[in-house]
Amino acid sequence: MSKDLLQEAIKKLGIHSVCLRECGCRIKEQFNSLNIGQIDTRQQTFRNIDKIEVIEVSTKDDDQIQNYFYSFHYDIGARLVESNEESELDGDDEGLGLVVIEAKFEALYVSLEQVPEDQLKAFSANNVGYHVWPYWREYLQSTCSRMGIEPISVPFYRFQGSDLVTED
């Protein structure tokens, strides 16, 4: 992925908002907030861009496009598993995990011009997660508190280039 593509996208896209679209949490049936802390656990996480949508907004006076909005759907999740459990989290493992917390955020960006798909992919792999991360940290930690469990720690965001689009 070219750094030039990313830099061009950064010049064109301005953050508009980050909103929670979907969320869910669960504690495995035979456990509760009292005994989760007594089990030797480890944390697993996932994150990825689910899709990118283009929204064109025109003025009322004519049909010329005034702004382009780009909606990035960012799936993210964390779970606690028993330390001896071997599986990896991919977002589809319904029965696994003692505690599972997942969310989908929408990061909305505005641009005065169309942004090519290759630039959007470069931007999604490097910048969207950075903007969503503070909202995820707050959601995860406050949800843990509401569930009556110790907060799952979330490190500061690390750029990995791994937040790749999984569908067009």
Side-chain angles (χ1 to χ4, degrees):
M1 177 176 340
S2 167
K3 290 200 183 277
D4 293 338
L5 293 174
L6 175 60
Q7 291 307 313
E8 285 301 312
I10 289 171
K11 289 177 192 174
K12 295 174 184 175
L13 293 166
I15 186 79
H16 181 272
S17 60
V18 175
C19 299
L20 183 64
R21 288 186 63 96
E22 295 177 22
C23 59
C25 61
R26 63 186 173 275
I27 296 177
K28 198 169 188 174
E29 185 74 28
Q30 61 267 36
F31 297 95
N32 57 52
S33 61
L34 297 174
N35 62 7
I36 287 289
Q38 315 254 327
I39 300 167
D40 188 22
T41 61
R42 64 186 170 93
Q43 179 180 333
Q44 295 177 332
T45 62
F46 77 93
R47 63 183 185 181
N48 70 297
I49 299 291
D50 182 42
K51 68 178 173 178
I52 302 170
E53 295 177 312
V54 180
I55 306 161
E56 298 176 3
V57 178
S58 61
T59 62
K60 291 182 180 181
D61 299 336
D62 56 36
D63 291 333
Q64 290 185 350
I65 301 302
Q66 179 182 0
N67 288 317
Y68 295 89
F69 287 88
Y70 293 89
S71 171
F72 294 81
H73 293 225
Y74 193 87
D75 290 336
I76 191 163
R79 72 178 178 190
L80 295 177
V81 297
E82 291 187 67
S83 291
N84 58 2
E85 196 171 322
E86 292 296 324
S87 65
E88 294 300 319
L89 180 60
D90 67 9
D92 294 325
D93 297 330
E94 286 295 319
L96 299 177
L98 303 173
V99 174
V100 179
I101 302 172
E102 299 170 329
K104 178 182 291 210
F105 289 90
E106 176 182 33
L108 194 60
Y109 298 85
V110 64
S111 178
L112 297 175
E113 59 185 284
Q114 277 190 307
V115 180
E117 186 177 338
D118 55 350
Q119 291 179 12
L120 291 173
K121 286 186 177 184
F123 190 82
S124 72
N126 292 280
N127 283 55
V128 175
Y130 178 76
H131 292 132
V132 169
W133 207 252
Y135 296 87
W136 166 241
R137 288 175 58 113
E138 185 280 328
Y139 174 75
L140 180 63
Q141 292 175 355
S142 66
T143 300
C144 287
S145 177
R146 287 180 178 94
M147 294 173 80
I149 63 172
E150 288 290 319
I152 297 172
S153 86
V154 180
F156 290 108
Y157 184 79
R158 290 189 338 256
F159 291 96
Q160 298 177 1
S162 64
D163 300 340
L164 302 176
V165 174
T166 58
E167 88 178 28
D168 291 342

